[in-house]
Amino acid sequence: AWVKQNKASELQALERLLAQAAAHKRERSVEWRIKGSGLKVRKTMAAFDWDFQPKLDRRTVEELFTLAFVERHEDLLITGRRGTGKSHILQALTIKACELECMVRYSRCVDLIDDLYAGLADGSYQRRMKRWCRPPFLVIDDVGLGQLKRRDDEPTAAHMLFTLLDRRHTLTTTALTSNIKLSAWGKYLGDATLAAAVLDRLAATSIRIDIDGPSYRQHLARQRAGAHPGVEPLLPEEEEA
């Protein structure tokens, strides 16, 4: 039908067919990369409400999506209150990395640490650690969210995270988000000294973005409550990072 409508030659028809096949192959490749990355929630910056976070430097964030910082082996640390868009940005970066054929792995911090603890239990710790060290781009979301479990005879989460970042330092890129104060990392990770060492590694090579703004999730909760008079929105206490 397209050939008749556009009066295309056989060569033009062949070129169009090959282009469609190439596009389909690329789509399948991107989809395979996304599934393999561990990302469960797919978000893009097209859905990001920039007007809601006027203090956020849009140019700085958009520059991240060239992935030039990954090529330079720089790290990324995004902090801010819950619901300010930190995870949205990292999830969108994960998608972009897959589209640009960059090997990327995504995990929440608590899931990454749980995986390494599982390695201690079954004797696969070193293999699992190497697997986390391998990707050129590793995304660790939500440092400070979720309960970290350990026994007294096991290394702390701080020890594991320090080992991971130390091995990746200047060789690969690690991006993290956190909704707790950096001074609280020691308590959360179980070792103040090693947590300070983790932050020291990040300070040496990282791009730091702090999102100083309101929670978009709380904004949506208020909107829903407004649509149903008499219903109070469930709003958690805010924490500063």
Side-chain angles (χ1 to χ4, degrees):
W2 179 86
V3 173
K4 291 182 179 179
Q5 290 176 358
N6 294 274
K7 298 180 180 180
S9 65
E10 290 185 2
L11 178 59
Q12 289 174 322
L14 179 60
E15 289 177 342
R16 184 171 187 270
L17 184 62
L18 291 174
Q20 289 176 334
H24 181 61
K25 182 178 180 181
R26 182 180 181 280
E27 288 176 2
R28 286 189 301 171
S29 175
V30 171
E31 182 64 22
W32 176 81
R33 288 177 180 274
I34 293 173
K35 288 182 177 179
S37 72
L39 184 67
K40 295 180 175 62
V41 179
R42 303 188 185 192
K43 292 185 178 181
T44 68
M45 294 310 289
F48 192 86
D49 190 342
W50 294 100
D51 293 335
F52 195 75
Q53 299 294 355
K55 295 182 181 180
L56 180 60
D57 189 333
R58 182 169 182 170
R59 181 178 298 180
T60 297
V61 174
E62 290 181 336
E63 171 64 22
L64 296 175
F65 285 80
T66 66
L67 296 192
F69 76 104
V70 177
E71 295 178 3
R72 296 191 298 264
H73 300 159
E74 293 177 341
D75 296 320
L76 172 65
L77 176 59
I78 304 179
T79 56
R81 294 181 179 88
R82 288 172 296 199
T84 52
K86 304 179 300 299
S87 293
H88 189 139
I89 293 172
L90 285 199
Q91 289 161 2
L93 274 172
T94 301
I95 296 290
K96 176 57 71 173
C98 292
E99 292 174 349
L100 296 180
E101 300 183 343
C102 172
M103 183 181 176
V104 58
R105 192 169 183 195
Y106 171 95
S107 177
R108 294 191 311 150
C109 180
V110 67
D111 295 332
L112 187 157
I113 298 300
D114 281 350
D115 180 70
L116 291 174
Y117 276 133
L120 289 174
D122 65 13
S124 63
Y125 176 81
Q126 291 300 333
R127 176 173 56 82
R128 291 173 189 248
M129 177 62 76
K130 288 180 181 178
R131 193 171 63 204
W132 288 110
C133 289
R134 189 177 302 126
F137 187 22
L138 175 62
V139 176
I140 304 175
D141 204 1
D142 291 329
V143 178
L145 185 64
Q147 184 176 0
L148 299 176
K149 303 174 183 178
R150 67 178 287 265
R151 294 194 300 265
D152 291 338
D153 60 338
E154 293 176 331
T156 63
H159 173 84
M160 294 178 175
L161 192 58
F162 173 77
T163 300
L164 176 61
L165 293 182
D166 187 55
R167 293 183 183 181
R168 295 178 57 83
H169 188 60
T170 73
L171 301 174
T172 55
T173 293
T174 307
L176 307 94
T177 67
S178 180
N179 71 307
I180 61 175
K181 295 180 180 179
L182 299 184
S183 59
W185 277 35
K187 181 178 180 180
Y188 178 71
L189 296 173
D191 188 314
T193 300
L194 282 176
V198 167
L199 293 171
D200 183 63
R201 290 290 187 278
L202 291 174
T205 59
S206 71
I207 299 168
R208 171 75 187 281
I209 297 175
D210 183 63
I211 306 180
D212 180 17
S215 168
Y216 191 71
R217 285 193 291 269
Q218 291 185 15
H219 167 68
L220 293 178
R222 292 188 181 97
Q223 282 189 331
R224 287 192 293 269
H228 299 84
V231 177
E232 290 294 327
L234 180 61
L235 303 176
E237 293 182 4
E238 294 187 358
E239 298 180 26
E240 296 184 355

